[in-house]
Amino acid sequence: MKEDVCYVLAKWIDKGFHFGDLSVQIHYGRGNEEKLTSGAAWHADAENSLLHLAVTLSGSRVLHSKRIQAHANTTLRRPKRQEPTEVLERQEPGDVYLSSSTLMRHAPQFFDTDYSTRVIAIHARILYTSADIEHFRRVRTRDSWERLTNVLANTLAAANLQIPSLAQAESRLLD
């Protein structure tokens, strides 16, 4: 079988690399309204965010994203004329999202906070080495990238994410 980005991503998942890259993001102080308005806060992530799971632990923020909105029972192939829609999703303590933030422009919105109301969020992404990502980029073709992005977009759009309770998670640690 010829390796392409679909095969490489599947191999990373099979090896347990998904959600192995953890970061804790903390924000307090002045909000970022100016950066959001100017466009400076907008970005797309690197390939480690092909699968990106985020959990807000404290504080409040809003995730802005630009997405093509598919209708029910359709695939997410982008027609040439369709423009992305800006979607705003408020993130409060305990909120979780699973996305492919490599594939969408997005920007976090932070509000003025002090230390006691700071935003703390954990982000889990794909863990890979420099050699892994160099290989991924070498085998990437336009066709394989399009197949991968369509599979990810369609799967995430249809996903029914079930987050375990703390008790369920703790019971797994005891197994």
Side-chain angles (χ1 to χ4, degrees), residues 43-69:
H43 64 284
D45 291 351
E47 292 93 336
N48 65 335
S49 287
L50 281 165
L51 289 174
H52 180 154
L53 182 73
V55 181
T56 301
L57 300 179
S58 70
S60 177
R61 62 195 173 110
V62 176
L63 177 65
H64 293 245
S65 60
K66 297 200 178 182
R67 304 185 218 161
I68 301 296
Q69 299 293 315

Side-chain angles (χ1 to χ4, degrees), residues 91-152:
Q91 303 294 309
E92 301 287 342
D95 286 345
V96 176
Y97 66 84
L98 175 63
S99 71
S100 185
S101 50
T102 302
L103 305 181
M104 65 178 185
R105 304 236 352 118
H106 61 282
Q109 180 179 6
F110 298 107
F111 307 101
D112 292 346
T113 64
D114 60 23
Y115 187 77
S116 67
T117 59
R118 68 193 177 278
V119 177
I120 303 174
I122 297 174
H123 296 263
R125 301 174 179 96
I126 299 168
L127 178 65
Y128 51 64
T129 66
S130 296
D132 291 332
I133 194 58
E134 287 169 10
H135 176 69
F136 181 89
R137 290 173 179 162
R138 251 191 330 275
V139 300
R140 177 180 164 172
T141 64
R142 183 177 180 177
D143 180 56
S144 69
W145 184 251
E146 185 173 317
R147 275 196 330 274
L148 177 67
T149 59
N150 281 324
V151 166
L152 282 173

Side-chain angles (χ1 to χ4, degrees), residues 14-26:
D14 188 51
K15 289 180 176 181
F17 290 2
H18 57 297
F19 309 135
D21 180 351
L22 297 176
S23 66
V24 177
Q25 295 180 352
I26 300 172

